[in-house]
Amino acid sequence: MYLIQSIIRPEKITEVTDALAEIGVYGMTKFPVIGRGNQSGLKVGDMIYKDIPKEMIQTFVDDDQKAAAVRTIMEAARTGDGNHGDGRVFVLQVAEAYTIRSGDQNI
């Protein structure tokens, strides 16, 4: 099992979540985040915005869904041919997972 964490542009959240649902990935947690990447913010005219609003999606997938989920997120979150600030995808292997209701171990 893998945890896929994606940080994407806010305007892409619906497109990404709909695309994940199309490949059978329904369970996820979404929340707004604020930060910046290597570009150290955004300059618009004389204003410098050091922290940029983004959305984070966390989803857990089985081993056989990992590649399709990552590919789907990257395709749905990309703007045009790809631009700075389109986001990042992190993939982490999960050592253990439990269902609180039943106490069952899921891995």
Side-chain angles (χ1 to χ4, degrees):
M1 178 179 279
Y2 290 90
L3 165 62
I4 301 176
Q5 265 187 335
S6 308
I7 302 171
I8 63 172
R9 293 174 181 263
E11 65 270 17
K12 290 294 204 168
I13 191 74
T14 301
E15 194 172 335
V16 171
T17 56
D18 289 351
L20 285 169
E22 286 179 18
I23 64 165
V25 177
Y26 300 102
M28 65 186 67
T29 302
K30 305 179 289 184
F31 44 97
V33 295
I34 297 173
R36 61 178 177 245
N38 288 335
Q39 76 273 20
S40 300
L42 176 67
K43 184 174 182 180
V44 178
D46 291 336
M47 290 293 299
I48 297 175
Y49 300 94
K50 292 202 179 268
D51 294 317
I52 312 286
K54 299 285 185 178
E55 291 285 332
M56 182 180 285
I57 300 171
Q58 290 184 329
T59 188
F60 293 90
V61 297
D62 290 325
D63 296 6
D64 61 337
Q65 294 177 300
K66 178 184 71 156
V70 169
R71 182 176 53 253
T72 298
I73 292 165
M74 291 184 63
E75 289 172 359
R78 183 174 290 128
T79 58
D81 291 330
N83 294 289
H84 289 289
D86 279 354
R88 297 288 298 246
V89 177
F90 303 94
V91 180
L92 302 118
Q93 195 161 19
V94 177
E96 295 181 17
Y98 299 88
T99 300
I100 293 173
R101 176 186 53 82
S102 64
D104 293 340
Q105 185 172 2
N106 304 113
I107 296 179

